[in-house]
Amino acid sequence: MTEKIDCVRVALGARSYDVRIGAGLLARAGAEIAPLLHRRRVAVLTDETVAATHLDGLRAGLGDIAVTALALPAGEATKGWPQFARAVDWLLAEKVERRDIVVALGGGVIGDLAGFAAAVLRRGVRFVQIPTTLLAQVDSSVGGKTGINSVHGKNLIGAFHQPSLVLADIGVLDTLPARDFLSGYGEVVKYGLLGDAGFFDWLEANGPALAAGDMAARQHAVRRSVEMKARIVERDETEEGDRALLNLGHTFCHALEAATGYSGRLLHGEGVAIGCALAFELSQRLGLCSQEAPSRVRAHLKAMGMKCDLADIPGDLPGPEALMALMAQDKKVVDGRLRFILARGIGEAFVASDVDAAVVTRLLEDALSRR
Ligand code: NAD
Ligand code: GLY
């Protein structure tokens, strides 16, 4: 039986590309990628966990296309200068040329790092994203944000570099640990919350089946998320305006990730889910949305077994002032003013450029006191 493959086009003029979504794409990667190749050879960057489970499948799918591969350690700590330098030097040692293709096989860590390596290698080579986590399929593989973390904060070093193709094989998510799947679900919920109340309704009804492995639900959730991201990126590729909506929950999330040392204490999508709940609570405190909205957000996250408040983060957290200081390092700070994505209701997010810091501090104090 032929698997159903959806295709979402990201229309960016000369930088346009397709995001292909469906089960079985890894097995046909050769046919998908071949039209992009000048010579039948690709360099694959991946991580050790993904290499152990899916690199052989990709090699088989690439058929007679020669494959050279480097597996980096798995985890967020890889997304920094040392492993980045290693990856770029390896690509040079492998004699990857300007017209070659780099393949990113992995989650958001590998996609971001490999995309940035492709962006700077010989002043820019093309790359293909093969995202293997739910988070990477619905978010990080699409839109061309690439980069690494700094000791000063998350994603502070990077470039916009669009992939030439994205192959989102939803079958590879079968091997994803439940915690990583739910972390990715944090980004899926974000799309409903920021711009599609109907999708949030659908998630409330279908989220449990999706998490339990329902493939039709998985395909729908990935496709709808990618469609929403693609339309936003088309309107605002380099985040001058609307693209900031995709950062719903992220100002809180990035501060919490820094506060927990980018460790297993808090995964990125978990931070996004908590951040979305806090952003809705902030919106309600600012009189922008009803009390019902943040309650509904938290109720859905809880029903999915997800973290939804600071109390759900294990271990110590710094106080509200320290968290505020971490937020001030965020890229969304403009002229020293905190920019937040707030909401008038579910599916109605907007960019607020001058949020009263005192209200945010009180929100954090209250959230910390619930721990
Ligand atoms: P990740 O890449 O660390 O992957 C999570 C874990 O799952 C890793 O241990 C990995 O080895 C493992 N894994 C991956 N695929 C697997 C599979 N199919 N089966 C079994 N294990 C598998 O983390 P992530 O959650 O995918 O991505 C988080 C990163 O993405 C963060 O660095 C975040 O900043 C970034 N991000 C970037 C963007 C963007 O637009 N560029 C958007 C959102 C998030
Ligand atoms: N994940 C945020 C963005 O791509 O803009």
Side-chain angles (χ1 to χ4, degrees):
M1 193 186 87
T2 311
E3 305 284 0
K4 175 175 181 253
I5 305 293
D6 286 316
C7 184
V8 178
R9 182 87 176 152
V10 185
L12 292 169
R15 295 177 306 291
S16 299
Y17 54 95
D18 287 340
V19 182
R20 298 176 64 73
I21 301 158
L25 278 164
L26 214 60
R28 46 189 269 192
E32 298 285 346
I33 292 176
L36 299 171
L37 299 179
H38 287 278
R39 55 175 175 160
R40 293 184 78 73
R41 180 177 190 268
V42 291
V44 178
L45 286 169
T46 185
D47 75 32
E48 286 160 2
T49 306
V50 176
T53 40
H54 296 297
L55 186 55
D56 283 349
L58 177 61
R59 281 185 199 277
L62 286 168
D64 67 355
I65 296 170
V67 179
T68 176
L70 174 67
L72 302 173
E76 187 71 31
T78 285
K79 225 179 95 172
W81 285 121
Q83 295 298 332
F84 176 73
R86 182 180 164 204
V88 173
D89 281 335
W90 175 78
L91 291 168
L92 291 170
E94 290 296 321
K95 304 204 167 32
V96 172
E97 298 175 1
R98 281 294 298 275
R99 302 199 310 172
D100 285 339
I101 292 279
V102 172
V103 173
L105 174 72
V109 165
I110 288 299
D112 283 11
L113 182 147
F116 186 36
V120 298
L121 188 81
R122 302 189 194 281
R123 299 204 179 86
V125 303
R126 294 166 305 148
F127 79 116
V128 170
Q129 291 267 20
I130 306 188
T132 63
T133 62
L134 179 60
L135 182 142
Q137 295 193 351
V138 299
D139 193 350
S140 62
S141 65
V142 180
K145 276 191 185 175
T146 72
I148 56 175
N149 303 327
S150 151
V151 288
H152 297 285
K154 178 100 176 146
N155 296 334
L156 292 179
I157 303 150
F160 285 101
H161 187 50
Q162 299 293 343
S164 299
L165 175 69
V166 181
L167 298 178
D169 184 337
I170 62 169
V172 303
L173 303 184
D174 285 346
T175 57
L176 197 61
R179 186 176 173 202
D180 287 299
F181 191 91
L182 284 182
S183 170
Y185 188 78
E187 300 278 14
V188 176
V189 171
K190 177 191 80 176
Y191 289 108
L193 295 177
L194 76 86
D196 187 348
F199 185 46
F200 185 76
D201 293 344
W202 184 88
L203 290 171
E204 284 180 318
N206 295 281
L210 172 63
D214 181 316
M215 292 299 269
R218 195 183 285 181
Q219 177 115 358
H220 177 75
V222 175
R223 194 193 64 231
R224 182 66 197 128
S225 300
V226 170
E227 279 169 357
M228 289 189 69
K229 178 147 188 184
R231 299 297 84 85
I232 290 174
V233 169
E234 286 167 354
R235 288 204 297 277
D236 178 20
E237 185 180 3
T238 54
E239 201 171 312
E240 312 298 322
D242 264 13
R243 185 164 178 167
L245 294 174
L246 294 169
N247 295 322
L248 176 64
H250 282 60
T251 303
F252 292 110
C253 169
H254 288 169
L256 294 170
E257 283 185 286
T260 51
Y262 305 110
S263 67
R265 278 174 65 199
L266 184 73
L267 303 182
H268 177 74
E270 293 174 338
V272 170
I274 294 171
C276 285
L278 289 172
F280 269 78
E281 194 180 332
L282 180 58
S283 304
Q284 183 262 319
R285 287 182 183 216
L286 292 168
L288 294 163
C289 71
S290 68
Q291 172 60 51
E292 192 220 341
S295 304
R296 208 175 142 198
V297 174
R298 284 219 164 90
H300 179 54
L301 296 175
K302 272 200 186 123
M304 293 296 293
M306 295 174 69
K307 293 182 170 59
C308 65
D309 207 348
L310 300 192
D312 301 326
I313 302 173
D316 291 337
L317 283 180
E321 286 77 20
L323 287 175
M324 289 295 286
L326 288 169
M327 285 195 224
Q329 180 59 269
D330 200 88
K331 291 193 295 314
K332 286 164 282 301
V333 174
V334 178
D335 298 333
R337 287 159 194 247
L338 276 180
R339 266 205 308 165
F340 276 91
I341 313 307
L342 299 176
R344 297 195 176 83
I346 286 174
E348 296 175 69
F350 66 99
V351 183
S353 55
D354 198 1
V355 175
D356 184 349
V359 182
V360 185
T361 307
R362 265 197 306 282
L363 174 84
L364 290 170
E365 274 166 8
D366 293 346
L368 286 163
S369 73
R370 294 195 285 264
R371 284 166 61 82

